[in-house]
Amino acid sequence: MSNTKGQIGYHLLAAVVVLIWGCTFVNSKVLLMHGLSAHEIFALRFFFAYLCIWTISPRRLWANSLKDELLFVLLGMTGGSMYFVTENEAVRIDYVNNVSFIVCTAPLLTTLLALAFLKSVKANKGLVLGSVAAVLGVALVVFNGQFMLKLNPLGDILALSAALCWAVYSLLLRKMADYNVVFVTRKVFFYGLLTVLPVFLIHPWQFPLEDFLKPAVWANLLFLGFVASFGCFVLWSWVSKRLGALKASNYIYLNPVSTVVFSALVLDEPMTLLAYVGSALILVGVYLSNQGVPHFNPFAYGAKFRTRKSGRSS
């Protein structure tokens, strides 16, 4: 019980981070409307975040092994370049409702991957009921009572690719428990930027530099870079380390709640009764899913590493 009480703060942080990320759909949409491309938006937000994190990051450059360094490359791709480019491109060409709904299946995909590859995770009543309730809640919130799912195959596939990238990122992140969370986040930013460079060879930079003077452009970029990337990624790495990949990932279901609320406040789009019901279902689903997740010691990987290391030195 004391352990559960001690984790309340981490659960609240996870919810806050995801609620902030839910607002970024609007920020990205505004930037896309002003002419920035998906990969340009990603490169700028991660570049700003990378500059910020060097002010607090440990000065070490490399991981403990080549294997870990390669894992950081995968983290930079799945949680950085591949995820954001596919998501932003999906937002550009697809219906926002479709993208919001499909991207928010990331926790479900994370659970399915964990069930397939992690022996410690077993399907149980809480996990199944919670996932079903949360997905149903997401559908009610995203479509806001308008059940008209319009298919856009390419956009939907890109959104599903983004969700799958985040699921893989969540599970890979648990292997980095031996490292400082700020160091992990800095490596994600670096390899995210590095792996997006080939996209610029195919689609070179086209956004006019003078357009950065527009308040709508620089304000949204600053929010995406400093708040949604620098601040939120550091907090997310910390929360994932404390709660475990599955429990932290379940909070992604809250993403559309803040999207709808933010739209209601900024765009004056009122929420329907079904949206309120959906929000309640999401909260119930997240709670049930987290109760159904088996206890996992997020420091186990790091402890084993330190034990083997100390064993060799003695």
Side-chain angles (χ1 to χ4, degrees):
M1 181 64 71
S2 60
N3 185 50
T4 302
K5 289 181 178 179
Q7 289 189 333
I8 290 177
Y10 302 117
H11 285 283
L12 290 175
L13 271 179
V16 169
V17 168
V18 170
L19 290 173
I20 291 174
W21 279 340
C23 299
T24 61
F25 280 98
V26 178
N27 301 106
S28 297
K29 189 69 175 179
V30 170
L31 291 172
L32 288 165
M33 291 170 62
H34 276 80
L36 277 162
S37 64
H39 58 290
E40 288 171 348
I41 294 172
F42 166 74
L44 287 168
R45 69 181 288 180
F46 260 42
F47 177 71
F48 292 154
Y50 188 62
L51 291 180
C52 286
I53 204 167
W54 267 105
T55 64
I56 62 171
S57 174
R59 292 299 184 257
R60 66 178 296 184
L61 295 178
W62 306 107
N64 295 326
S65 66
L66 178 60
K67 178 183 176 181
D68 285 358
E69 195 68 31
L70 292 176
L71 282 175
F72 278 123
V73 176
L74 288 176
L75 284 169
M77 294 173 64
T78 55
S81 57
M82 289 178 63
Y83 172 77
F84 283 104
V85 171
T86 52
E87 182 194 77
N88 288 341
E89 190 64 21
V91 168
R92 185 182 70 83
I93 66 176
D94 201 353
Y95 302 99
V96 176
N97 284 355
N98 288 27
V99 177
S100 299
F101 177 69
I102 295 172
V103 168
C104 285
T105 62
L108 182 60
L109 293 176
T110 305
T111 300
L112 293 176
L113 289 178
L115 289 171
F117 297 106
L118 300 180
K119 294 181 180 180
S120 60
V121 179
K122 304 294 181 184
N124 55 47
K125 193 174 182 180
L127 199 57
V128 173
L129 288 177
S131 297
V132 171
V135 170
L136 179 58
V138 168
L140 291 176
V141 171
V142 167
F143 297 106
N144 211 16
Q146 300 177 7
F147 295 98
M148 295 182 294
L149 180 61
K150 300 177 183 179
L151 297 180
N152 183 326
L154 179 58
D156 293 344
I157 290 172
L158 286 171
L160 184 60
S161 300
L164 183 59
C165 282
W166 191 262
V168 174
Y169 173 78
S170 297
L171 293 179
L172 288 178
L173 198 59
R174 66 188 288 271
K175 292 181 175 292
M176 298 293 108
D178 191 61
Y179 295 93
N180 178 282
V181 293
V182 177
F183 175 76
V184 171
T185 309
R186 197 193 77 211
K187 299 291 278 187
V188 170
F189 290 159
F190 174 75
Y191 283 118
L193 286 169
L194 191 66
T195 54
V196 82
L197 292 181
V199 180
F200 283 95
L201 297 177
I202 303 172
H203 301 288
W205 186 281
Q206 294 183 344
F207 189 72
L209 294 180
E210 60 269 20
D211 283 0
F212 283 113
L213 297 176
K214 296 179 180 178
V217 174
W218 61 257
N220 281 286
L221 281 174
L222 287 178
F223 178 81
L224 289 175
F226 297 135
V227 179
S229 293
F230 169 57
C232 287
F233 264 77
V234 171
L235 290 175
W236 188 257
S237 296
W238 188 40
V239 164
S240 295
K241 189 172 183 178
R242 297 290 180 174
L243 296 181
L246 293 186
K247 285 189 176 184
S249 180
N250 281 329
Y251 281 96
I252 298 295
Y253 287 126
L254 294 174
N255 203 305
V257 175
S258 59
T259 303
V260 172
V261 171
F262 191 58
S263 297
L265 293 174
V266 177
L267 305 177
D268 200 25
E269 297 178 357
M271 289 179 66
T272 65
L273 177 61
L274 283 178
Y276 285 109
V277 173
S279 299
L281 269 176
I282 292 173
L283 294 175
V284 172
V286 170
Y287 175 78
L288 289 176
S289 296
N290 282 339
Q291 294 302 307
V293 174
H295 175 69
F296 165 69
N297 179 7
F299 298 100
Y301 179 85
K304 290 178 181 178
F305 177 85
R306 287 189 293 272
T307 301
R308 291 198 299 269
K309 191 173 181 181
S310 60
R312 282 197 295 267
S313 61
S314 62

